[in-house]
Amino acid sequence: MPLVGFGTWKLRNDPAHEAVLAALAAGYRHIDTATMYANEAEIGRALQDSGLDRAEVFITTKIRPSDAGRASSVLRQSLRALGTDYIDLWLVHWPPSQKGGSRQLWNELLELQAEGHVTDIGVSNYTLSEVDELIRSSGQAPAVNQIDWGPTRHDDRVLAGHAERGIAVEGYSSLKNTNLDDPVLAKIASAHGVTPGQVVLRWQLEHNVVVIPKSVRPERITANIDLFGFALSADEVASIDAMARS
Ligand SMILES: NC(=O)c1ccc[n+]([C@@H]2O[C@H](COP(=O)([O-])OP(=O)(O)OC[C@H]3O[C@@H](n4cnc5c(N)ncnc54)[C@H](OP(=O)(O)O)[C@@H]3O)[C@@H](O)[C@H]2O)c1
C-alpha cells in the first residue's frame, strides 16, 4: 500500500472528479473512498480519465456496518462505480453496534475476499479489543485499521498494539484535527523549509502510520505528497508526540 493516499471524504460530483484527477497527476497512487462518501463513480471516472493502468493505483473503499447481510451486492456496486474488477483494500467503516454483528460482517468480507474481487480486507475505527474479537472469531487479523490519528491523539501503546498484531495503521483527519499554527510545528517546519501540514504528515510516516490527506486545492494536493525530501529527528518526533499530553 503506498504510504501516502488521497482522502476523498466530502468530495462529491465534479469537484471530486477534479480533485482526484489532480491528485493522480501529482503522483498519488492510492485513493481512499467509501460507499458513504457517495463519490465512487466520480473516482472511477477520474481513474479512467487519468490514463493510468488500474494496477498502478491502490484503491480503498469501505462498507457501512448497516450493510451487513448484503455485502456481496454492496461490493458489486462499488466495483461497478469504480470501474474496476477488484478492490485493493476493503474496510468495515466502523464497528457494527449489534451483538455479534462485527463477526458476521467480517465473515462476509472473508468470503468475498476468497472469491477474488478484494485483495485485502480491514477495518476502521476499531479499538484493539474489537480487533481482537475478530481475530479470535476468525483467526484472521485485519490488514489495516484506519483510525483518527494526529499529534493530539498520539498514543505509543496503540501503535505498538497494532504492530504486534501485524496490522497497518492508517491515520485520518490529522490535518483537520491539528492546530497547524502550533509553535512546535512552526519551528520544525521552518527548520526544514516545509509547511506545518507537511510536518504533521511526515511525523505520521516516521511512526509508520499511512497518511490519507484530503484537499481540493492544487498547491496543497502537491505539498501533501511532497514528504520524502526531508526527515524528522528523534527529538522532533518526540516533541510532536508530546502535543498529545499538552
Ligand atoms: N474511516 C473513517 O471513519 C474516516 C473518517 C474521516 C476521514 N477519513 C478519510 O481520511 C481522509 C482525510 O481526513 P479528513 O478529510 O477528515 O481530514 P484531513 O485530510 O486531515 O484534512 C482535510 C482538511 O484540511 C485542509 N487541508 C488539506 N491540506 C492542507 C494543508 N497542507 N495545510 C492546511 N490545511 C490543509 C483541507 O482543506 P482544502 O480542501 O480546502 O485544502 C480540509 O479542510 C478523508 O478524506 C477520508 O478519505 C476516514
Side-chain angles (χ1 to χ4, degrees):
M1 168 170 47
L3 296 175
V4 184
F6 186 67
T8 67
W9 186 31
K10 296 199 174 154
L11 288 172
R12 293 239 177 124
N13 305 315
D14 284 346
H17 173 258
E18 278 162 34
V20 173
L21 208 47
L24 293 169
Y28 291 77
R29 292 293 178 268
H30 168 180
I31 309 292
D32 182 79
T33 182
T35 53
M36 199 191 88
Y37 303 169
N39 61 18
E40 288 175 317
E42 286 73 19
I43 291 170
R45 200 154 52 85
L47 286 164
Q48 195 177 14
D49 293 348
S50 73
L52 291 165
D53 284 343
R54 167 66 186 89
E56 291 181 73
V57 186
F58 186 99
I59 303 176
T60 300
T61 192
K62 315 185 190 85
I63 179 169
R64 280 177 283 231
S66 55
D67 284 327
R70 43 181 238 100
S72 174
S73 89
V74 170
L75 176 61
R76 276 200 307 276
Q77 283 165 28
S78 287
L79 291 170
R80 200 174 318 119
L82 288 161
T84 179
D85 58 2
Y86 72 98
I87 303 291
D88 295 278
L89 178 63
W90 198 29
L91 305 178
V92 177
H93 205 149
W94 62 90
S97 53
Q98 72 277 22
K99 201 170 174 346
S102 199
R103 232 175 307 150
Q104 186 206 330
L105 183 52
W106 186 241
N107 286 337
E108 281 187 78
L109 264 67
L110 282 166
E111 280 167 25
L112 290 162
Q113 183 188 23
E115 288 177 16
H117 294 293
V118 177
T119 307
D120 274 306
I121 56 174
V123 295
S124 178
N125 299 304
Y126 274 55
T127 63
L128 280 170
S129 57
E130 287 165 337
V131 161
D132 283 339
E133 191 197 322
L134 292 187
I135 299 174
R136 261 196 309 277
S137 71
S138 68
Q140 175 72 52
V144 165
N145 191 10
Q146 185 180 110
I147 53 179
D148 188 350
W149 205 255
T152 57
R153 285 174 170 60
H154 180 72
D155 185 339
D156 270 326
R157 289 162 307 180
V158 173
L159 295 186
H162 284 87
E164 278 160 22
R165 291 161 178 78
I167 301 169
V169 176
E170 275 185 56
Y172 68 71
S173 301
S174 60
L175 298 171
K176 192 166 71 186
N177 291 338
T178 301
N179 172 13
L180 296 174
D181 295 326
D182 189 291
V184 170
L185 299 176
K187 186 172 165 215
I188 297 171
S190 137
H192 291 279
V194 297
T195 67
Q198 288 172 304
V199 170
V200 168
L201 295 169
R202 180 70 214 192
W203 166 82
Q204 286 184 270
L205 297 182
E206 302 287 356
H207 279 297
N208 294 319
V209 173
V210 176
V211 297
I212 44 173
K214 168 263 167 192
S215 180
V216 289
R217 306 190 200 193
E219 70 282 8
R220 287 180 175 174
I221 291 174
T222 305
N224 292 346
I225 196 175
D226 184 12
L227 305 175
F228 299 95
F230 70 107
L232 303 182
S233 69
D235 284 350
E236 288 171 333
V237 169
S239 66
I240 300 172
D241 292 356
M243 288 171 68
R245 298 187 290 274
S246 61

